[in-house]
Amino acid sequence: MATYVLFGNGRVGVSMASYLEHLGHAVSLISRVQGVDNPSECEMLVKNADMIVAAIPDSKLQNWWNEWRAVIGEKTTVHFSGAVIIDGMYGFHPLYSFPKYVLPIETMQEIAFACPLGGPSFGDVFPFASNPNFEIADCDRARYHALAVLSGNLVGYIWNETAKEFAEFSDMPSEKLLENYLTSIVERFVEN
């Protein structure tokens, strides 16, 4: 059993914390507010942890690392960004679109993670996790992340905009009207 401090209680953070606890690890989840309001308590948690995990927005990751690096020291530290590369941290990007609720363990176990080329595997850093994982070289991370965004976020945006327009065609809620159609698109993708 390992002891983790996980910074970030957003969509990825709460699901990862739940997953790690399910795997038998001890997890302390630190929110942005806790890090600011109770720094000495958070520092003590970091000093007593085996590993540090940052589930925070890409745009805030470097500043967070600059602020906490001295406290973290040589502990293994990972982040979940797909595009950001930070010296001294391993990037493990979940290829998944996280909801606002905590994901079921069965779903968490199936999520593939992009791991650093030549670095530790997902299971090395998160013992007992059997998630599929694949390696991405630093020079390919921007391309990988762009593909993930295009295939997920862009498509999601287009579907949401389509739903707004389809609302004009029927009294049925557009999400109900489009659900079967959009599901069939995913099924054809899997089929092909």
Side-chain angles (χ1 to χ4, degrees):
M1 179 179 96
T3 303
Y4 294 85
V5 167
L6 199 155
F7 283 82
N9 64 343
R11 294 175 184 225
V12 176
V14 295
S15 285
M16 279 303 298
S18 172
Y19 186 39
L20 291 172
E21 288 172 349
H22 168 78
L23 295 173
H25 304 296
V27 181
S28 296
L29 190 61
I30 298 177
S31 71
R32 186 177 314 130
V33 172
Q34 287 172 299
V36 172
D37 290 351
N38 302 309
S40 59
E41 180 183 328
C42 295
E43 286 178 17
M44 187 59 67
L45 290 171
V46 168
K47 288 178 182 176
N48 292 324
D50 297 315
M51 294 182 212
I52 310 303
V53 181
I56 58 179
D58 291 8
S59 62
K60 298 181 188 293
L61 195 53
Q62 185 65 59
N63 287 340
W64 172 85
W65 182 237
N66 294 343
E67 181 181 343
W68 286 93
R69 187 173 195 166
V71 177
I72 292 169
E74 298 299 315
K75 293 180 187 291
T76 299
T77 306
V78 303
H79 63 78
F80 295 123
S81 172
V84 176
I85 300 165
I86 297 180
D87 188 39
M89 295 179 75
Y90 294 113
F92 290 87
H93 183 254
L95 193 54
Y96 197 83
S97 180
F98 284 79
K100 292 180 181 178
Y101 57 86
V102 175
L103 285 172
I105 297 305
E106 299 77 28
T107 302
M108 287 297 299
Q109 292 170 328
E110 297 298 319
I111 296 172
F113 282 81
C115 303
L117 181 65
S121 71
F122 189 76
D124 291 337
V125 175
F126 302 103
F128 311 116
S130 58
N131 294 66
N133 60 112
F134 55 98
E135 294 183 328
I136 297 288
D138 285 353
C139 63
D140 291 328
R141 284 190 81 86
R143 181 169 61 112
Y144 157 77
H145 192 253
L147 290 169
V149 168
L150 284 172
S151 65
N153 297 6
L154 179 60
V155 171
Y157 173 79
I158 291 169
W159 287 3
N160 283 317
E161 291 302 309
T162 300
K164 291 176 190 174
E165 296 292 325
F166 266 64
E168 296 177 18
F169 299 137
S170 173
D171 291 337
M172 183 187 306
S174 56
E175 65 272 10
K176 202 67 178 156
L177 184 66
L178 289 170
E179 181 179 17
N180 191 41
Y181 171 61
L182 298 178
T183 299
S184 73
I185 292 171
V186 173
E187 289 170 352
R188 295 305 71 76
F189 168 76
V190 172
E191 183 180 278
N192 290 326

